[in-house]
Structures are given as C-alpha cells and as structure tokens.
Amino acid sequence: MAPDFSSIKPGSQQSPPATAAPTPTSSAKTAETKGWKAAFDRLPSWFKYGLGILLVVTILGIILAGLSGGSSDSDTVRTGHGPNSITNGIPHGYDRTEAGAQTAATNFVQAANQVSLGRISAEEAKSALVGSNASDALLAVLDESVTQAEGTVMNVLPALVNVTDYSDDRAVVSVWAVSASQNDLSGTGKVSVLTVWSTTTVTLEWENGDWKAVDWTFRSGPEPEEVSFPEGDSTLAEFGANGLYTFFVE
C-alpha cells in the first residue's frame, strides 16, 4: 500500500524524530534467550515432538506444491493399474503389467468411440494412445471414424476382456463389448435406443513408458444368446479378467 501523506499540509512542519530506544545490553539479551529456552524445556515431550512433525509436514507440502506448480491440461489420477493421467479428456499412463494392458486396450476401444462423437480429436488420440509402429488399419479407425449425429449419446461397455498373448513388451487383448446409443428419433423428440455387440482385438506395445496401441481388428457379435457355451476357438471360451470399474471424463 502506498504511504498516506494526507495529514501533511503545505508549509506544515514535521514533528521532530522520536528518540531511539536504548539498545538492550548483552546481558539482557542473554537473560531473554535463557528465558525462552527454559520455557521450551518445560513443555511436554509429546508437544515438542508434535511441533517437529508439523514443521516437517509443512516443509514437504511447500516443496510438493512448488514441484506441481504451473498450468497444464493434464489431470493426475490414481488407479490400481492405470490410467495415471487424463490429458485433453484422454486417459493414459498404464502399468507394465497384464492388468495394465487389459485396461489400456479397453480404454482405447472407448477412446475410438469418443472420437466418433467428436468429444476428442483423432490427432489427440493418436498422440496419447497410438504407438510409432501403428498399422494402417488402426490409424484408419481414428482418421476415418464415422461422425455421429449431434446430440447422440453412445457408450462402449466391456463385458469380458481376455489377454490372449502377453509379454512385458507386447500384449494382445480381446474386448467383447456392447455399444449402447441414444438418438432423437427423426427429430420427433422421442429417444431411440440401439445396442450392438462386437469383439475388438487390440495389439499393444510398451513404448515411452506406456502401453500404446499398434494394431486393431473388429468384428460384429457375438450376441449373448450365441455364446452360452462358446466353442473352443473362441476367446470367450477362456476365463476373462475380473475387477472392472468404469469412470466418466467430462
């Protein structure tokens, strides 16, 4: 705040400077220091330990706040096997484990759906989720995605996820899922609902500290009533993964 000189009138005289207080003698300073030390020594031990812990926690908080400072479009999340970050609405950052690969493949299938809805761009999806060795078929999934009608609601919900091949550098994951969509029925204001079952196989490679999609195959079906007792060559004939949770990203 700027100094307030409003009380000083033109031609007025300033009051004489106040006489400085005498400087305490060294003996007085020593007595004051001993007094504080004696008072601190009389405090209970638990109280002094608590002060020390509080000081350490405060310092760590200041350091962490400084390290995380700055603006970013990326939000940090914490899940069991990933994702660990969401950038521009795209989850990424998975553990180098079989469960991490399962989650990465499932979220890639869902991200491709978000591209078709126009909620994320193909370029952003490729930057976050696609590896450098991506096949033409996989790139076409994002670049040539059919744009859905404005106002369409569509979600891809995985029913069963199977890892058919896994190493620390490469994974092949089959996702049997249902797409549920809602549309305005011919502009009448009535809502139509459509469900479609499909199987998507995503090939992933470990690249730059994350699972990246490099290939993709897609086929319609099977419908649930067709696989009550799946054939031996079907991925559904093998037990899939448990522990599925989902979340929404605005």
Side-chain angles (χ1 to χ4, degrees):
M1 180 181 294
D4 184 6
F5 295 115
S6 60
S7 61
I8 301 177
K9 308 299 181 183
S12 63
Q13 296 182 353
Q14 298 183 9
S15 301
T19 304
T23 304
T25 61
S26 59
S27 60
K29 290 182 178 180
T30 303
E32 182 180 356
T33 302
K34 290 182 177 179
W36 280 106
K37 184 177 185 301
F40 183 79
D41 290 340
R42 288 196 296 271
L43 293 174
S45 297
W46 63 266
F47 186 80
K48 289 186 282 187
Y49 291 147
L51 285 177
I53 293 173
L54 180 61
L55 178 61
V56 172
V57 171
T58 301
I59 293 173
L60 287 175
I62 294 173
I63 294 173
L64 291 175
L67 292 175
S68 62
S71 59
S72 174
D73 292 332
S74 180
D75 295 322
T76 300
V77 295
R78 292 288 182 267
T79 60
H81 302 282
N84 296 320
S85 296
I86 299 175
T87 303
N88 298 322
I90 304 171
H92 62 95
Y94 300 92
D95 288 356
R96 198 173 190 176
T97 61
E98 188 168 320
Q102 292 168 348
T103 311
T106 302
N107 282 350
F108 178 82
V109 173
Q110 294 173 324
N113 173 63
Q114 299 300 316
V115 171
S116 72
L117 290 171
R119 300 188 75 247
I120 61 176
S121 73
E123 291 304 316
E124 289 171 341
K126 287 189 288 186
S127 175
L129 305 176
V130 175
S132 57
N133 296 323
S135 67
D136 292 340
L138 181 132
L139 295 176
V141 169
L142 301 175
D143 290 333
E144 302 173 12
S145 178
V146 177
T147 303
Q148 302 296 323
E150 185 177 355
T152 297
V153 173
M154 183 168 62
N155 291 297
V156 178
L157 310 174
L160 287 174
V161 179
N162 296 74
V163 177
T164 60
D165 187 30
Y166 179 81
S167 71
D168 284 345
D169 298 315
R170 184 178 180 274
V172 180
V173 183
S174 175
V175 182
W176 183 47
V178 58
S179 298
S181 63
Q182 293 175 307
N183 291 278
D184 184 350
L185 185 60
S186 303
T188 62
K190 294 183 179 181
V191 176
S192 65
V193 177
L194 177 67
T195 57
V196 177
W197 287 87
S198 62
T199 303
T200 305
T201 301
V202 183
T203 302
L204 305 161
E205 290 183 354
W206 186 259
E207 182 179 318
N208 296 327
D210 200 3
W211 288 111
K212 303 287 188 179
V214 295
D215 200 9
W216 154 299
T217 61
F218 174 90
R219 65 182 179 89
S220 298
E223 298 290 326
E225 59 271 17
E226 298 173 346
V227 287
S228 296
F229 302 96
E231 299 294 333
D233 58 349
S234 170
T235 56
L236 298 180
E238 301 291 335
F239 284 105
N242 274 320
L244 172 68
Y245 288 86
T246 58
F247 55 92
F248 285 88
V249 178
E250 293 294 335

